């Protein structure tokens, strides 16, 4: 372990996470007294359903899909999410998935072709997790970084939520890096930054 390495000060070991990994680093710090600091980079401070709707919308837009196609994608995502939250039916969600799965843009939704039973769905667990809860529990110094041009994470919504808790989080520092994308690269074309091969 890092603590056993004589070259490392065991009191100065922290956690770093990128994207949804930035959900894990605050969680680790809230559960372990051994974590001295947290760095969360491009971590959405919204639930996974909000983040994925934002990301999928930008994927479709960057790849030249129409507003009608974006609207169909959004309706499909919302139907699945409604079922997972217990406010919609599995049948209605599956019907929209069946219409969407043959479309060329469906790959940008990162959704399966079958709506799983919400009782066993991993997606249900993901969207029920609010990353702000774990982040709010961090007591050690924490740096939260966003790229101003992030097309995967809704930075404005994340910043609003962080601003609301900032008065009770004196050890938290939040910065938005101008010109940076989701992976903190500068000035890259969105069709490149949104390509899974280049996604951090």
């Amino acid at each position: 372990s890092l603590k056993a390495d004589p070259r490392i000060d065991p009191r100065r070991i922290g956690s770093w996470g990128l994207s949804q990994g930035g959900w894990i680093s605050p969680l680790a710090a809230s559960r372990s007294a051994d974590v001295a600091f947290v760095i969360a980079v491009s971590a959405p401070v919204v639930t996974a359903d909000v983040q994925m709707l934002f990301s999928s919308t930008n994927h479709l837009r960057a790849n030249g899909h129409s507003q009608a196609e974006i609207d169909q994608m959004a309706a499909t995502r919302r139907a699945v999410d409604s079922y997972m939250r217990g406010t919609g039916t599995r049948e209605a969600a599956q019907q929209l998935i069946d219409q969407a799965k043959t479309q060329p843009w469906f790959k940008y939704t990162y959704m399966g072709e079958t709506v799983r039973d919400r009782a066993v769905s991993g997606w249900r667990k993901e969207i029920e997790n609010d990353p702000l809860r774990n982040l709010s529990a961090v007591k050690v110094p924490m740096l939260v970084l966003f790229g101003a041009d992030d097309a995967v994470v809704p930075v404005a919504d994340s910043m609003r939520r962080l601003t609301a808790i900032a008065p009770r989080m004196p050890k938290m520092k939040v910065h938005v890096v101008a010109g940076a994308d989701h992976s903190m690269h500068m000035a890259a074309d969105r069709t490149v930054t949104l390509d899974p091969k280049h996604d951090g």
Side-chain angles (χ1 to χ4, degrees):
S1 83
L2 289 175
K3 288 174 67 176
D5 190 319
R7 298 169 300 172
I8 296 172
D9 182 345
R11 297 164 302 171
R12 298 174 70 186
I13 298 171
S15 66
W16 177 95
L18 172 68
S19 193
Q20 291 185 0
W23 288 347
I24 297 169
S25 51
L27 178 63
S30 70
R31 293 184 176 179
S32 171
D34 294 332
V35 179
F37 63 88
V38 171
I39 301 172
V41 181
S42 302
V45 188
V46 294
T47 54
D49 53 327
V50 172
Q51 187 254 318
M52 286 306 299
L53 179 58
F54 178 85
S55 176
S56 293
T57 297
N58 286 327
H59 272 83
L60 267 66
R61 194 166 283 136
N63 286 280
H65 292 282
S66 69
Q67 187 60 48
E69 291 171 307
I70 291 170
D71 291 345
Q72 183 184 0
M73 174 278 297
T76 303
R77 289 206 72 92
R78 288 189 178 112
V80 171
D81 296 340
S82 292
Y83 166 63
M84 292 300 165
R85 292 189 184 280
T87 57
T89 68
R90 187 177 185 182
E91 294 73 24
Q94 187 63 57
Q95 185 177 13
L96 288 178
I97 287 282
D98 289 342
Q99 293 167 12
K101 68 185 180 184
T102 60
Q103 301 301 314
W105 49 261
F106 186 71
K107 62 186 174 184
Y108 300 122
T109 68
Y110 298 92
M111 299 173 76
E113 295 187 4
T114 303
V115 180
R116 295 192 68 201
D117 184 336
R118 65 187 296 273
V120 296
S121 171
W123 180 241
R124 177 187 172 190
K125 292 186 179 88
E126 280 191 58
I127 68 175
E128 288 178 345
N129 175 52
D130 185 347
L132 192 65
R133 192 166 43 239
N134 296 330
L135 200 143
S136 300
V138 174
K139 305 297 183 206
V140 296
M142 177 167 51
L143 175 64
V144 182
L145 295 174
F146 294 108
D149 294 342
D150 194 330
V152 177
V153 168
V155 173
D157 291 341
S158 296
M159 287 295 295
R160 269 193 292 279
R161 300 191 82 208
L162 288 171
T163 300
I165 66 164
R168 60 182 190 272
M169 298 284 294
K171 294 182 179 178
M172 178 179 73
K173 301 291 181 208
V174 183
H175 294 284
V176 178
V177 180
D181 66 12
H182 186 64
S183 298
M184 288 295 161
H185 296 143
M186 306 297 278
D189 184 273
R190 275 198 171 181
T191 56
V192 174
T193 65
L194 288 168
D195 187 320
K197 293 195 299 286
H198 304 282
D199 191 12

